[in-house]
Amino acid sequence: MRVTSDDRTRRPGECSHHHLKLDAHGGIVACRDCGASLAPFWALRMLADQYALALAQIDRLQDRVSNADARILQLSTELDALAESERARKESSVVP
Ligand SMILES: [Zn+2]
């Protein structure tokens, strides 16, 4: 006698099948979350779409890093100018 539990985390109707399980022996592609069998072409296309989304996300993050770098440089320059004018003001108030 053998008892197995259903370890699926989702049901096929409510799943986007993003976690694939590859059976190398049978060449079968299935969803790790809901257990549905998937057409290999569908799986390949889903992976290509996810890859494109990930690349777009990387581009957006690189833009944000570049903008943050430029902003830090600008603020640093402003801070230097502020410190310089403060130092000049103190020096002129000390010397009569
Ligand atoms: Zn699924």
Side-chain angles (χ1 to χ4, degrees):
M1 189 172 162
R2 188 171 172 177
V3 177
T4 57
S5 61
D6 185 355
D7 56 357
R8 293 182 301 182
T9 56
R10 294 180 183 200
R11 299 288 170 251
E14 60 189 32
C15 184
S16 52
H17 315 307
H18 281 175
H19 300 120
L20 302 179
K21 187 166 69 178
L22 305 177
D23 180 356
H25 298 298
I28 296 169
V29 181
C31 176
R32 192 175 293 277
D33 294 332
C34 71
S37 288
L38 305 170
F41 182 81
W42 183 94
L44 188 60
R45 186 161 178 182
M46 185 274 288
L47 288 175
D49 290 346
Q50 292 299 309
Y51 186 69
L53 287 174
L55 287 179
Q57 175 77 352
I58 287 171
D59 285 346
R60 282 195 299 275
L61 289 173
Q62 282 177 337
D63 281 350
R64 285 178 62 183
V65 168
S66 296
N67 289 338
D69 281 348
R71 184 74 177 129
I72 286 170
L73 194 63
Q74 179 192 357
L75 289 173
S76 176
T77 304
E78 288 175 16
L79 193 63
D80 286 348
L82 210 64
E84 179 63 29
S85 70
E86 181 69 14
R87 193 175 59 79
R89 192 183 61 79
K90 281 183 180 170
E91 282 179 4
S92 67
S93 67
V94 170
V95 178

